[in-house]
Amino acid sequence: MNRHTRLFFAILLLFSACSKKVVSTDDTTADMKEFKVNNLDFDYLTANSKIKFSDGKKNMSASANIRMKKDSIIWISVTPGLGIEAARGLITRDSVLFLNRLNREYTAYSFEDLSRQFNFDITFDLIQAALLGNMLQDVGPKDKIKKESNYFVVRQEDGAVFIENFIGARSQKLERVAIIEKEQKKGSGPRNKKNTLNLSYDDFQSLEQEQVLPFENMVSLDYYSNGQKKRTQISINHKKASFADESLRFPFSIPRKYERQ
């Protein structure tokens, strides 16, 4: 799998339930009683989407078929054009697999490997939440919540990053997320400028049973390489999405002649 394809899927993993007790930093009790995040509840979901990728040097566009079995499987098929599938991904509770059909290669990750690579706790639940437009992490007792303008802002810390979640006061949906790298401690190696990842969700549309899914998703990664700031952007726009009452198929197998990257 070439480096552009690896980067595409790596960022997609980050692009990517709020039932625990929370701590408020706002004195307006009435506002805090209004705080709520509506999350999707389903057995199976399918979506036909358009994905665009840009890193300043290369632009790519492709159609994607996304299927999910809640809390179990995420399946993605990517077709750049002419109806020919270029890549296929399968995400389960314990692993992430991708096929590059054009180069006859495959890549396999464990969540432990991904977490070490990105210095961030990556799990199946996190990826599922990101694709659905839910909060990336549950709200915990150490998190801070404050009402600001038209948003409830939930501030969290996880390992080497700060996370700011912007929940629409009217939509009761996650509309924006900012993940900011913490300052590196002295003596821990060369200090690069802080990398940031921004997610935004828009065009909320009702599905069955008045459940709402964002049909426009954008991820923007700002990072520094050799002292220079670089930006990679991915947009995922759903053309159609629906729940399925019956089981969906998640076909995936690694051909014998494919090489592991």
Side-chain angles (χ1 to χ4, degrees), residues 2 4 13 23 48 53 84 96 165 171 188-189 191:
N2 61 43
H4 290 294
L13 289 174
V23 176
N48 296 323
F53 170 91
I84 300 174
V96 179
N165 306 273
S171 68
S188 57
R191 176 62 241 168

Side-chain angles (χ1 to χ4, degrees), residues 242-254:
S242 62
F243 299 129
D245 297 327
E246 299 180 354
S247 298
L248 296 176
R249 295 179 63 250
F250 304 96
F252 192 96
S253 62
I254 301 175

